[in-house]
C-alpha cells in the first residue's frame, strides 16, 4: 500500500496549523457576537478582579443609619408612623448631618394623612433643609408620540438641564421609564432634591452598573446617588452637564459612562464596608455625639424577613445580599472622590489585537514545544492576562480578557491533543502479514534487526529474542509472543515504533516516558504485576520484554451479553489493589 503522505509529521503539522487558525477565527467571530453567556463570563472576571484588588479605604464623610433587625424588634414592623421618621430627621439635623438621604419612597397613606403625620414629616423636611428623597420608574420602551406621560408636580424641578448635544440621544438613548412612582408632594415639597433609585442588573443578576439618568416624558432625571453627591458639593442642576454617550460633568468631576449613560460601579468592598448606626440607637440617643457631624447620612432598610415589611437587597460582585442603601453609599463616595472605572475607547481594539496576536503565535509556535513547556507557556499567558486585568482595575480601567484567555485555552487543548495514526500505518490483515521493519535508509546489519512474520516463514528476532507469534496490535504498536533462547523462557514483547506515529519533536519525550514506565514496573515484584526483564531499541524499534502470562482476550467480556459477574469483578479489583 502506498502512503499519500511521505512525511506524516508534515501532514500532522499542516493539519494542526489549519486547526489553530480555525480556532483563532472562531474566537474572532465570537468576539463580535453580543451573547449573554460571554457578557456573564466577562462580568464574572470583573467581579474576580475587584475581589483580588480587595477592599479600599472609604471616605469618613459617608455613613449609614440602618433600619435593621434590632430597630424593627424595638420599634415595630416597618413602615413606622411618619412621626418616627420626622423625629429621626430632627435628631440627625441637630447632630450636624450635612446631608440626610432617605433610600425610602413614601407613598400615599390615608391613615398617615388623616393623622396629620404627612404634614409633620413635611415640616421636619423643610426645617432641616438638607433632606433628599427618591422615586423610581417602571422601565420600558418610550411611549409613542401623542401619548406623552404626565410629569408629577413634585418632579417638575428634578430633571437635568444641560446637554452637550441633545441630538445624540437618537444615537445613544438612555433607559426610558413608562410609569413613575414618587413620594407624596406634602412630604417632599421641602426636600433639597429628588432622584431615581432604579437599578438594572446584568443578565446574571449582579448589579455592576447604575443609570445616572432615565428618560421620562421627554425629560431626563438623575439618579438618587448623583443628586446626593451634587447636594454635598453644593451644586445645582445648572452645574451638571451631560456629555451624551460619554460622561456626566459635575463641577470639576467627570463621571465616565457607557453609551446609555450608565456608570460602572467601583465598589469599595463588601457589606458593612461603610460605618453603620442602628436607627434604634439614633432615636434613643445612644449614638455618641459627633458621629454624624458634617457627614452624608444615608437612611435605609436593612432588616430581613417579614417583620421588615420591605426587601431592599441585591447581588453585587462582593455579595449576593447587598443592602440597596449601601450600594448608594458606595456610589456617592466614588463620585465625591472621583474614583471611577472607565472603559477606554481603545480597549476593544487592544482586546481584538490580543486575540489575533496570541492566536497566531500559539498556532505556529506551540506545536514545536514539549508538552511541559506548552503548559508553562499557556499558564504564563493566562497569568499575564489576569495580571493586566487586575492592574487595569487598580488604575481605574476595565479591560475584558475573556476572549484572549479563551484563545489561549483552546490553542493549548489543540496542541496537546495526540495525533491519530496516519493512513497506511495499521497492520494489513488481508496479506496475512504483520511487518515491523527498520527504516529503509540503510540495510539491517543482521537478520535479527528485522521482524517479519509470515505463514511458514523462518523464525525472526528482536534483539536476541525469537518471535513466535503476534499476540495483539493497536494504533501505537504490536505485542509479540517471544522466547529468550539463552535461558529458554517465554516472553511477551511490547514494541512501539515512535517515528511512524509522532512528530520529531515529540519522539524523545515519548521514549523517555516509555523507558520510565519500564523502570517503574521493573522495581516491583508482585504476583499481580508482570515482571519486566529487559527494555531496549533496535533500529528505531523500541521494545519491552516482560513476563508472559497465559490468559484470554478481555474483549470477549466487553459486550453487554458477556459481562463478568459483579462478584468476580470485585474479586479481580481486590486482588489488583492488593
Amino acid at each position: 500500500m502506498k502512503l499519500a503522505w511521505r512525511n506524516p509529521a508534515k501532514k500532522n503539522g499542516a493539519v494542526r496549523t489549519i486547526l489553530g487558525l480555525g480556532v483563532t477565527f472562531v474566537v474572532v467571530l465570537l468576539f463580535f457576537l453580543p451573547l449573554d453567556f460571554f457578557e456573564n463570563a466577562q462580568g464574572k472576571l470583573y467581579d474576580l478582579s475587584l475581589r483580588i484588588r480587595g477592599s479600599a479605604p472609604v471616605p469618613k464623610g459617608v455613613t449609614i443609619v440602618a433600619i435593621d433587625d434590632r430597630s424593627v424588634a424595638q420599634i415595630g414592623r416597618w413602615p413606622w408612623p411618619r412621626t418616627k421618621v420626622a423625629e429621626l430627621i430632627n435628631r440627625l439635623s441637630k447632630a450636624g448631618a450635612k446631608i440626610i438621604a432617605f433610600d425610602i419612597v413614601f407613598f400615599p397613606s390615608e391613615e398617615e394623612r388623616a393623622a396629620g403625620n404627612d404634614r409633620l414629616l413635611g415640616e421636619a423636611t423643610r426645617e432641616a433643609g438638607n433632606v433628599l428623597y427618591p422615586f423610581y420608574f417602571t422601565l420600558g420602551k418610550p411611549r409613542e408620540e401623542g401619548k406623552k406621560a404626565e410629569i408629577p408636580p413634585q418632579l417638575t424641578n428634578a430633571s437635568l438641564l444641560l446637554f452637550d448635544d441633545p441630538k445624540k440621544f437618537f444615537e445613544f438613548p438612555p433607559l426610558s421609564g413608562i410609569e413613575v412612582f414618587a413620594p407624596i408632594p406634602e412630604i417632599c415639597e421641602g426636600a433639597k432634591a429628588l432622584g431615581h433609585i432604579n437599578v438594572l442588573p446584568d443578565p446574571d443578576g449582579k448589579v455592576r452598573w447604575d443609570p445616572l439618568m432615565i428618560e421620562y416624558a421627554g425629560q431626563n432625571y438623575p439618579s438618587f446617588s448623583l443628586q446626593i453627591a451634587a447636594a454635598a458639593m453644593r451644586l445645582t442642576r445648572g452645574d451638571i452637564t451631560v456629555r451624551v454617550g460619554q460622561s456626566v460633568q459635575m463641577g470639576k468631576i467627570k463621571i465616565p459612562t457607557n453609551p446609555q449613560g450608565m456608570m460602572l460601579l467601583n465598589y469599595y468592598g463588601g457589606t458593612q464596608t461603610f460605618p453603620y448606626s442602628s436607627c434604634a440607637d439614633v432615636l434613643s440617643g445612644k449614638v455618641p455625639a459627633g458621629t454624624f457631624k458634617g457627614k452624608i447620612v444615608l437612611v435605609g432598610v436593612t432588616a430581613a424577613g417579614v417583620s421588615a415589611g420591605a426587601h431592599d437587597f441585591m447581588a453585587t460582585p462582593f455579595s449576593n445580599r447587598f443592602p440597596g442603601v449601601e450600594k448608594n453609599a458606595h456610589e456617592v463616595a466614588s463620585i465625591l472622590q472621583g474614583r471611577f472605572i472607565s472603559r477606554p475607547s481603545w480597549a476593544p481594539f487592544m482586546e481584538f489585537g490580543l486575540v489575533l496576536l496570541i492566536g497566531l503565535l500559539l498556532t505556529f509556535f506551540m506545536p514545536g514545544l514539549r508538552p511541559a513547556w506548552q503548559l508553562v507557556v499557556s499558564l504564563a499567558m493566562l497569568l499575564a492576562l489576569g495580571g493586566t486585568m487586575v492592574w487595569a482595575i487598580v488604575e481605574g480601567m476595565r479591560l475584558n480578557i475573556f476572549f484572549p484567555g479563551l484563545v489561549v485555552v483552546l490553542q493549548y487543548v489543540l496542541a496537546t491533543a495526540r495525533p491519530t495514526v496516519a493512513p497506511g500505518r495499521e497492520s494489513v490483515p488481508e496479506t496475512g502479514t504483520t511487518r515491523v521493519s527498520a527504516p529503509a535508509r540503510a540495510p539491517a546489519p543482521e537478520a535479527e534487526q528485522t521482524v517479519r512474520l509470515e505463514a511458514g516463514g523462518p523464525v525472526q528476532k528482536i534483539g536476541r529474542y525469537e518471535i513466535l507469534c503476534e499476540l495483539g496490535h493497536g494504533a501505537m504498536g504490536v505485542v509479540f509472543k517471544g522466547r529468550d533462547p539463552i535461558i529458554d523462557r517465554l516472553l511477551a514483547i511490547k514494541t512501539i515504533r515512535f517515528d511512524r506515529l509522532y512528530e520529531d519533536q515529540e519522539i524523545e519525550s515519548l521514549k523517555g516516558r516509555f523507558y520510565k514506565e519500564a523502570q517503574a514496573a521493573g522495581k516491583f515484584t508482585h504476583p499481580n504485576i508482570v515482571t519486566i526483564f529487559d527494555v531496549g531499541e533496535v533500529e528505531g524499534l523500541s521494545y519491552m520484554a516482560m513476563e508472559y502470562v497465559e490468559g484470554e482476550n478481555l474483549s470477549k467480556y466487553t459486550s453487554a451479553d458477556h459481562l463478568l459477574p459483579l462478584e468476580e469483578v470485585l474479586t479481580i479489583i481486590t486482588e489488583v489493589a492488593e
Side-chain angles (χ1 to χ4, degrees):
M1 180 183 294
K2 293 184 178 179
L3 297 178
W5 287 75
R6 292 185 178 276
N7 191 339
K10 288 185 178 180
K11 177 184 178 182
N12 285 330
V15 170
R16 281 187 171 179
T17 299
I18 293 172
L19 290 175
L21 293 175
V23 164
T24 304
F25 178 71
V26 168
V27 177
V28 166
L29 288 180
L30 296 176
F31 184 87
F32 293 101
L33 293 180
L35 300 178
D36 284 349
F37 173 80
F38 299 126
E39 293 294 328
N40 290 342
Q42 295 183 119
K44 299 296 184 187
L45 289 174
Y46 174 70
D47 299 349
L48 178 62
S49 63
L50 285 180
R51 291 196 293 269
I52 292 175
R53 181 210 65 190
S55 298
V58 300
K60 297 180 179 180
V62 180
T63 189
I64 295 171
V65 170
I67 301 172
D68 54 9
D69 292 315
R70 187 154 61 88
S71 300
V72 171
Q74 292 183 17
I75 299 173
R77 176 187 171 91
W78 179 265
W80 297 334
R82 288 173 183 172
T83 52
K84 278 289 180 186
V85 180
E87 181 185 349
L88 178 62
I89 291 175
N90 292 333
R91 285 185 175 275
L92 291 174
S93 180
K94 290 178 181 179
K98 182 178 182 180
I99 296 292
I100 305 171
F102 279 87
D103 187 18
I104 301 165
V105 181
F106 293 98
F107 295 117
S109 168
E110 183 59 31
E111 181 181 351
E112 295 286 343
R113 187 195 65 78
N117 294 344
D118 289 344
R119 178 181 56 80
L120 293 174
L121 180 54
E123 290 176 358
T125 299
R126 189 164 33 254
E127 289 175 5
N130 61 352
V131 180
L132 286 83
Y133 291 113
F135 58 91
Y136 67 91
F137 296 102
T138 298
L139 301 179
K141 294 182 179 180
R143 294 175 179 266
E144 299 177 6
E145 292 186 11
K147 297 183 178 181
K148 193 171 183 179
E150 293 185 2
I151 300 175
Q154 58 267 48
L155 300 187
T156 302
N157 297 319
S159 62
L160 296 168
L161 298 176
L162 302 179
F163 307 91
D164 64 336
D165 186 357
K167 294 179 181 179
K168 291 182 181 179
F169 280 125
F170 292 101
E171 185 178 359
F172 306 114
L175 299 179
S176 293
I178 58 176
E179 188 177 11
V180 64
F181 298 88
I184 60 176
E186 194 172 3
I187 291 177
C188 64
E189 280 177 354
K192 189 171 185 64
L194 302 176
H196 77 78
I197 52 172
N198 287 82
V199 294
L200 188 67
D202 283 347
D204 63 352
K206 295 289 183 70
V207 176
R208 302 183 181 93
W209 298 84
D210 189 70
L212 294 184
M213 59 182 176
I214 292 179
E215 183 275 332
Y216 177 76
Q219 301 294 317
N220 290 278
Y221 292 90
S223 70
F224 189 48
S225 298
L226 191 69
Q227 290 285 63
I228 296 171
M233 296 169 64
R234 304 182 186 281
L235 300 178
T236 65
R237 293 192 297 162
D239 299 315
I240 303 174
T241 302
V242 177
R243 304 187 186 282
V244 182
Q246 297 180 359
S247 62
V248 174
Q249 190 76 36
M250 291 181 55
K252 296 181 180 180
I253 296 177
K254 180 180 179 181
I255 308 173
T257 68
N258 70 358
Q260 285 187 295
M262 300 177 70
M263 168 185 167
L264 185 59
L265 296 173
N266 190 2
Y267 290 95
Y268 286 80
T271 56
Q272 303 285 329
T273 298
F274 284 82
Y276 273 69
S277 297
S278 174
C279 190
D281 291 341
V282 177
L283 290 172
S284 61
K286 294 180 180 179
V287 177
T291 300
F292 305 116
K293 186 174 181 59
K295 295 182 181 180
I296 299 170
V297 181
L298 291 95
V299 183
V301 178
T302 64
V306 177
S307 62
H311 182 84
D312 188 22
F313 294 97
M314 58 191 67
T316 70
F318 283 96
S319 172
N320 288 326
R321 190 177 175 81
F322 204 89
V325 65
E326 187 162 3
K327 187 276 293 183
N328 290 327
H330 284 255
E331 187 174 358
V332 170
S334 291
I335 294 173
L336 294 177
Q337 287 193 323
R339 184 176 174 274
F340 307 115
I341 295 178
S342 64
R343 178 87 170 131
S345 58
W346 47 262
F349 299 100
M350 188 199 78
E351 293 154 6
F352 179 73
L354 282 175
V355 170
L356 287 179
L357 179 62
I358 293 173
L360 293 176
L361 282 176
L362 296 185
T363 293
F364 292 105
F365 294 106
M366 183 77 92
L369 301 175
R370 293 175 180 267
W373 281 108
Q374 290 174 345
L375 178 61
V376 169
V377 169
S378 300
L379 291 177
M381 284 191 167
L382 291 175
L383 287 173
L385 289 171
T388 301
M389 177 184 69
V390 175
W391 167 83
I393 287 293
V394 173
E395 294 297 319
M397 297 179 291
R398 182 184 182 183
L399 299 179
N400 293 328
I401 58 103
F402 173 75
F403 288 106
L406 179 62
V407 79
V408 172
V409 172
L410 293 180
Q411 290 285 3
Y412 173 74
V413 171
L414 180 63
T416 54
R418 291 298 176 199
T420 58
V421 180
R425 290 178 183 163
E426 302 87 0
S427 60
V428 187
E430 65 269 18
T431 63
T433 301
T434 300
R435 180 172 181 172
V436 185
S437 61
R441 59 180 178 270
E446 298 180 84
E448 68 178 19
Q449 302 297 336
T450 299
V451 177
R452 181 181 177 86
L453 298 178
E454 297 179 353
V459 175
Q460 301 299 315
K461 292 184 177 181
I462 297 179
R464 75 171 191 267
Y465 304 113
E466 296 175 353
I467 302 303
L468 304 180
C469 65
E470 178 185 319
L471 296 176
H473 66 271
M476 295 185 64
V478 184
V479 179
F480 297 101
K481 180 179 180 181
R483 188 178 75 88
D484 186 340
I486 298 177
I487 59 176
D488 193 24
R489 176 166 54 193
L490 292 179
L491 305 166
I493 302 174
K494 176 181 178 181
T495 64
I496 298 180
R497 185 153 211 113
F498 291 105
D499 58 355
R500 291 193 175 186
L501 295 171
Y502 298 97
E503 299 178 30
D504 294 342
Q505 62 269 22
E506 297 179 296
I507 291 176
E508 289 303 318
S509 174
L510 292 170
K511 281 185 178 180
R513 290 168 55 186
F514 179 78
Y515 293 134
K516 284 182 180 179
E517 176 190 345
Q519 291 171 2
K523 294 178 181 179
F524 291 100
T525 302
H526 193 279
N528 294 334
I529 302 176
V530 294
T531 304
I532 305 298
F533 297 120
D534 188 18
V535 64
E537 182 177 358
V538 177
E539 288 294 325
L541 180 69
S542 297
Y543 69 87
M544 185 188 301
M546 64 188 78
E547 178 184 0
Y548 174 74
V549 182
E550 290 284 354
E552 298 179 272
N553 194 324
L554 289 177
S555 62
K556 65 182 290 186
Y557 297 110
T558 59
S559 59
D561 54 344
H562 288 89
L563 297 177
L564 290 171
L566 179 60
E567 294 80 2
E568 190 170 348
V569 172
L570 292 176
T571 300
I572 294 173
I573 292 174
T574 303
E575 291 179 356
V576 171
E578 289 176 351

